Amino acid sequence: MPDNTTGPPGPSTLEPMLRKLEYWHKLDSADRAALLALPYTVKTMGQNGYVVREGDSIAHCCLLLSGFAIRSKIVADGHRQIVAIHMRGEMVDLQNSLLGRADHSVQMLTAGKVAMIPRVEIVRIAFERPNIGRAMWIDTLVDASIFREWVANIGRRDAQTRIAHVLCEFALRLKVAGLGEPTSYELPMTQEQLADATGLTSVHVNRTLMALGAAGLIERSNPRRIVIGDWRKLADAGDFDSGYLHLHGTEPALAHEAGGGAPVAKFSQPVG
């Protein structure tokens, strides 16, 4: 059931959206106040619950407050292709909300909470406040950059490289979002879901993870726990260059933690 809250005193529920958009473009105090004053409804979502289905008319934009979500397409034979993974603080269907009709589905990968902001309010603030509109524009451009990398990953890399690439991307994004360490994290995807994200079968994914482990690139204390022993070797195996993520303070100018050479990823200055 919705929590039916519209911004209690103290830290705002919409602060994660403010932090993300300010990373892309500098906002002034009036812009910040306008963002935090947007109306919203908080909903608790179960695992696999749909935020929106392909073809739906869009009434709200979804800000992910906790948990993980995916975007996906279903092809004619019923197979699913996962085209993006999202985590706390990300606006997982900004594109759908600006277009008005969903051309893909957004589904919860895990249980979590989302803030549903009326679509008309997102459109209004984007046009009334150019700084906010530009930040949203950049956000969708970075999503497009990630989509392009995923297309290249599925279309032109072998199975081991695909899986290693996804593991590297997830490690950096978790670190930047403040959700984990890049050397050890809980992957919130089953092998079947990882297969849907990489265009492989779940059996092939399992064999590939075992091969990465045998090569000393990762360790798995359980099926979901990923421990990266040597970041650089895994990145090399995954043909991974973080430039497409547009995350400043990560590669190629890395700070390094002791013990595995993993990147210390953090937000720095906005793009514009």
Side-chain angles (χ1 to χ4, degrees), residues 175-188:
K175 178 67 177 181
V176 169
L179 296 174
E181 296 302 318
T183 52
S184 179
Y185 61 87
E186 196 81 10
L187 186 69

Side-chain angles (χ1 to χ4, degrees), residues 98-251:
L98 294 177
L99 291 170
R101 184 172 295 275
D103 55 33
H104 61 277
S105 296
V106 177
Q107 188 175 10
M108 296 299 293
L109 187 61
T110 67
K113 288 188 176 183
V114 298
M116 306 298 287
I117 305 168
R119 172 182 177 268
V120 293
E121 293 295 322
I122 291 292
V123 174
R124 176 190 61 78
I125 202 170
F127 282 91
E128 286 183 357
R129 296 195 166 272
N131 287 335
I132 293 175
R134 181 173 177 180
M136 289 181 177
W137 184 14
I138 294 171
D139 193 65
T140 60
L141 291 174
V142 173
D143 274 345
S145 176
I146 296 173
F147 289 155
R148 289 190 291 273
E149 188 70 21
W150 278 44
V151 169
N153 200 40
I154 294 171
R156 291 297 180 183
R157 295 181 177 128
D158 62 28
Q160 182 166 306
T161 310
R162 292 182 206 182
I163 297 296
H165 193 281
V166 169
L167 296 180
C168 286
E169 177 183 310
F170 209 75
L172 277 191
R173 291 176 62 195
L174 282 173
K175 178 67 177 181
V176 169
L179 296 174
E181 296 302 318
T183 52
S184 179
Y185 61 87
E186 196 81 10
L187 186 69
M189 305 179 76
T190 65
Q191 291 184 8
E192 181 179 0
Q193 291 163 341
L194 192 53
D196 286 348
T198 54
L200 302 169
T201 66
S202 56
V203 172
H204 204 167
V205 167
N206 182 58
R207 291 174 179 167
T208 302
L209 289 170
M210 292 176 64
L212 290 172
L217 299 178
I218 63 171
E219 296 178 11
R220 291 187 296 157
S221 56
N222 63 56
R224 301 286 187 91
R225 170 62 56 176
I226 302 295
V227 178
I228 301 173
D230 189 315
W231 168 268
R232 179 47 54 201
K233 287 183 178 179
L234 184 64
D236 288 344
D239 186 27
F240 183 79
D241 180 336
S242 65
Y244 72 96
L245 295 171
H246 299 276
L247 300 176
H248 314 295
T250 60
E251 295 182 314

